[in-house]
Amino acid sequence: MKFNKPLLNNLLAYFLRGLLLVVPFALTGYIISLALNWIDRIIKLNIPGLGIAILLVTITFFGYLGSNLLVKSLLDLVESLVNRIPLISTLYTWLKEFTAAFVGNKKKFDQPVLVVVNQQEEIRRLGFVTQHALDGLHLPGSVAVYLPHSYNFSGNLYLIPRQAVTPLAISSTEVLKFILSGGVTGLQDLEEA
């Protein structure tokens, strides 16, 4: 049996191109479907997607209540009680600060920077300034920089001399996408910025 090599090469190229087109859409849809099904199982309704709608409305309603002065005072009281419980206070404070780092008025990942890691080999990393003053740690002239890992939601915190940090005039969202993808995505957006 004789095979047509150019035809097989073309079919393989089409297959690989198809994978590049289908897999991202399919996996994104699958992950969204898993999340919706998980929320629907928690709320236990037989109408697909109604659980997420109820969750969004409930969160928005709590946001509205939280802006009310009376409810805000009550929440502050509950928060002060939670902050007195040793292990729970640590978890609660961490979750609150982590959430505030991405949303709200106190975003922390909004100042992308380029950090010189090794001057001799010209190695640099992208990260985000999270604290501008470290006088409490007896490190005047230094800043706290969070350097996320690629393909992961973890990272390292470095205390770096201010002169080793270069602020970037690029959207923090684009820098985060670039870092988390291992430099694969966001290159065009970085070049256009």
Side-chain angles (χ1 to χ4, degrees):
M1 184 176 220
K2 194 173 186 180
F3 291 104
N4 185 344
K5 193 166 185 162
L7 176 64
L8 288 176
N9 287 338
N10 283 339
L11 286 175
L12 180 61
Y14 291 146
F15 176 77
L16 294 175
R17 187 175 299 141
L19 277 178
L20 288 173
L21 292 173
V22 172
V23 169
F25 284 114
L27 283 178
T28 301
Y30 179 70
I31 290 169
I32 290 171
S33 173
L34 284 176
L36 290 175
N37 288 335
W38 180 73
I39 290 170
D40 283 344
R41 279 195 306 270
I42 290 172
I43 299 182
K44 296 195 189 235
L45 297 171
N46 290 331
I47 302 170
L50 187 59
I52 191 76
I54 290 172
L55 182 65
L56 292 174
V57 168
T58 302
I59 291 172
T60 304
F61 179 69
F62 277 108
Y64 169 74
L65 283 179
S67 63
N68 181 319
L69 189 58
L70 180 63
V71 174
K72 187 169 177 2
S73 299
L74 180 63
L75 289 174
D76 288 343
L77 176 67
V78 170
E79 185 174 320
S80 70
L81 293 173
V82 167
N83 284 331
R84 292 180 187 171
I85 305 170
L87 187 60
I88 294 175
S89 69
T90 304
L91 178 63
Y92 173 77
T93 303
W94 178 82
L95 287 171
K96 184 178 179 183
E97 293 291 325
F98 186 76
T99 304
F102 291 100
V103 296
N105 298 333
K106 298 179 181 179
K107 291 180 188 171
K108 294 289 184 185
F109 297 115
D110 61 347
Q111 298 173 342
V113 293
L114 185 67
V115 176
V116 177
V117 177
N118 185 324
Q119 189 72 38
Q120 290 80 20
E121 296 180 26
E122 297 185 9
I123 297 174
R124 293 164 177 79
R125 289 197 56 191
L126 293 170
F128 300 91
V129 172
T130 56
Q131 296 289 326
H132 288 280
L134 299 174
D135 296 338
L137 296 173
H138 304 291
L139 294 170
S142 292
V143 295
V145 178
Y146 178 72
L147 302 174
H149 293 144
S150 298
Y151 299 105
N152 207 336
F153 287 105
S154 66
N156 295 69
L157 176 68
Y158 290 96
L159 308 178
I160 301 171
R162 190 171 274 122
Q163 64 268 19
V165 175
T166 305
L168 298 174
I170 302 170
S171 156
S172 58
T173 304
E174 294 304 318
V175 171
L176 190 59
K177 282 194 312 190
F178 184 73
I179 294 169
L180 293 178
S181 71
V184 175
T185 62
L187 280 176
Q188 294 172 348
D189 298 326
L190 289 170
E191 291 169 357
E192 293 168 4

